[in-house]
Amino acid sequence: MFKALHALSEKTEKIPVPIQRTTLLSRRRHTVGSLEVGLSILAFFVLIFLQVPVAVTLGIILVACFSMLGLDNIELAIDSYQSLDSFPMLAIPMFILAGTLMATGGVAQRILDLADEFVGHLPGGLAIVTIFASVLFGGLSGSAPATVAAIGSITIPEMIRQGYSRGFAAGLTACSGVIAIIIPPSNPMIIYALTQPGTSVSTMFLSGLIPGLLVAVSMAIPAYYISKKNNWGGDRQAGTATTRLKALAHAKWAILTPVIILGGIYSGVFTPTESAAVASLYAFIVGVFIHRELKLKDTYQVLSTSAIITVVAMFLIPFAVALGKLLSSQQVPELLTAMMASHMSGYISTVVLIVILLLLVGCIMDTLASIIILTPLLYPLLTPYGVSPYHFGMILIVGLGLGFVTPPLGGNLFIANQISQTAVHKVFTGALPMLLGMLAALLAIAFFPMISDIFI
């Protein structure tokens, strides 16, 4: 379990609020030529291709850009420091710790048992169980890779034992983990809400409820038909009212977690940031004193795992924020808007181009950095059509979410690959039917605003 959790360190998500203080970068205006821009972009892709960590790549590009602009690198240091000096940043280690505690404290197994009682008897029952267990666990952790590690370490070996192909079992689990960033309390939703001025974190959470369920169903349908075609699953009896009530009672502490978190936020008892601390404390109490599956001697390993994941996330944040401010100072959002506007004739073509861009960016760039950089670049393209920031946020998060399952970055792919011990290309091939279902859900979310805006 811990080994799988360590693997998610390349894909953790969260950012601070936009910084209002000014630096020389925000006050002075410099320009660069097309040659310098081209070289910077080329260098970025070369470094990514060479598998240089995204944070290091961004740092190298930023130092080079500051030098070309004639700016003092101390400005980069100031912007980077200020990006971490924010109260909402405290939610990062807390939500990561909560997810790790829940993954190791018996919560994941109880969620799986509950889902199995309701849908385990269907063809592809365990595959569907994996999807909806990810819905429940994602509502606790808010992290896609953490969900794959927690749920996949249990369901992938069992699916293989029951005769499912390794590639399908791993690919489906990799896809199902994406649900964790679409339903509340999603880490990327917090990132987006703090990046987009005037956007409420709690309202953003509400916007993800229907899209999250839609994405789950869009994966369950192809999983069902593929499993039925291959005669996978469906060999157990349907749960009775008694066994289902027993499973509900067994999983009650896990089910109460999102109720406590979201109920506390919307009732005004605590803020979204404070809810992360509440979730961590609750997960510790449940794991140690109620389930008694988390031993006190294990807390050091849990804390160290959480610390490693947190450090990786915090290392990425400053460079991503500084790059976003640098792009703004160079009027890149305005230039991109003008350039794309000349090739777009309406809402449909604009959305299609944005979706394609999100799919491409998700393949090569971390979700955290992508949200920070793309939000101010792309949202102005949709404002003329009356798109709400919450609707755009869901398009952005779901579109980039597919990048968790697409190479070369594909964090979920590699975690599922480690658990299943099968080749990455076979995991990706197994994931393709679910990816197509997710793409259909993304298009539905993009073209039907009420899916996201129904609660706002």
Side-chain angles (χ1 to χ4, degrees), residues 218-229:
S218 74
M219 287 189 283
I221 292 173
Y224 172 83
Y225 283 106
I226 291 172
S227 299
K228 187 175 183 179
K229 178 182 177 181

Side-chain angles (χ1 to χ4, degrees), residues 42-89:
L42 177 63
F44 175 82
F45 284 107
V46 168
L47 290 171
I48 291 294
F49 178 77
L50 295 175
Q51 298 185 339
V52 176
V54 176
V56 176
T57 298
L58 289 176
I60 293 173
I61 298 299
L62 277 169
V63 170
C65 288
F66 269 63
S67 298
M68 287 188 291
L69 290 167
L71 298 171
D72 193 335
N73 283 335
I74 192 64
E75 298 181 41
L76 174 59
I78 293 172
D79 283 331
S80 299
Y81 173 78
Q82 289 180 347
S83 70
L84 298 175
D85 185 18
S86 170
F87 176 70
M89 288 291 293

Side-chain angles (χ1 to χ4, degrees), residues 3-4 27 76 92-93 96 106 192 215 241 255 270 336 346 368 407 454:
K3 181 179 178 181
R27 292 197 304 263
L76 174 59
I92 296 177
I96 291 173
Y192 173 78
V215 171
I255 297 172
F270 41 74
L336 181 65
L368 165 61
I454 190 170

Side-chain angles (χ1 to χ4, degrees), residues 25 36 59 78 80 116 185 190 251 255 283 317 347:
L25 176 59
E36 289 85 351
I78 293 172
S80 299
D116 189 48
I190 298 174
I255 297 172
I317 289 167
Y347 178 72

Side-chain angles (χ1 to χ4, degrees), residues 4 148-154 156-157 160 166 173 414-422:
V148 175
I151 300 298
S153 61
I154 302 171
I156 291 177
I160 294 172
R166 286 180 177 268
T173 307
F414 294 104
I415 295 174
N417 155 256
Q418 289 183 359
I419 297 171
S420 64
Q421 295 297 301
T422 189

Side-chain angles (χ1 to χ4, degrees), residues 17 134 145 187 190 246 342 424:
V17 291
S134 297
N187 293 347
I190 298 174
K246 185 177 179 180
S342 63
V424 174

Side-chain angles (χ1 to χ4, degrees), residues 33 78 99 109 123 188 245 259 278 288 301 334 401 408 435 442 444:
I78 293 172
Q109 183 62 61
L245 286 173
V259 175
V278 173
V288 174
Q301 183 66 58
E334 292 84 352
L435 275 173
L442 170 59

Side-chain angles (χ1 to χ4, degrees), residues 19-181:
I19 303 302
Q20 301 300 320
R21 305 166 198 160
T22 58
T23 62
L24 291 175
L25 176 59
S26 60
R27 292 197 304 263
R28 292 190 298 174
R29 194 157 300 220
H30 304 261
T31 57
V32 294
S34 57
L35 177 61
E36 289 85 351
V37 173
L39 289 175
S40 299
I41 295 173
L42 177 63
F44 175 82
F45 284 107
V46 168
L47 290 171
I48 291 294
F49 178 77
L50 295 175
Q51 298 185 339
V52 176
V54 176
V56 176
T57 298
L58 289 176
I60 293 173
I61 298 299
L62 277 169
V63 170
C65 288
F66 269 63
S67 298
M68 287 188 291
L69 290 167
L71 298 171
D72 193 335
N73 283 335
I74 192 64
E75 298 181 41
L76 174 59
I78 293 172
D79 283 331
S80 299
Y81 173 78
Q82 289 180 347
S83 70
L84 298 175
D85 185 18
S86 170
F87 176 70
M89 288 291 293
L90 295 175
I92 296 177
M94 290 293 99
F95 269 125
I96 291 173
L97 176 60
T100 308
L101 286 167
M102 292 168 186
T104 56
V107 172
Q109 183 62 61
R110 285 164 173 78
I111 288 174
L112 283 167
D113 292 341
L114 175 62
D116 189 48
E117 279 297 323
F118 283 87
V119 298
H121 62 285
L122 299 172
L126 190 53
I128 299 173
V129 165
T130 300
I131 293 169
F132 287 98
S134 297
V135 172
L136 294 173
F137 189 85
L140 311 179
S141 70
S143 169
T147 301
V148 175
I151 300 298
S153 61
I154 302 171
T155 60
I156 291 177
E158 182 61 21
M159 276 194 279
I160 294 172
R161 190 189 68 79
Q162 292 187 14
Y164 293 77
S165 74
R166 286 180 177 268
F168 175 83
L172 175 130
T173 307
C175 288
S176 66
V178 177
I179 301 172
I181 69 167

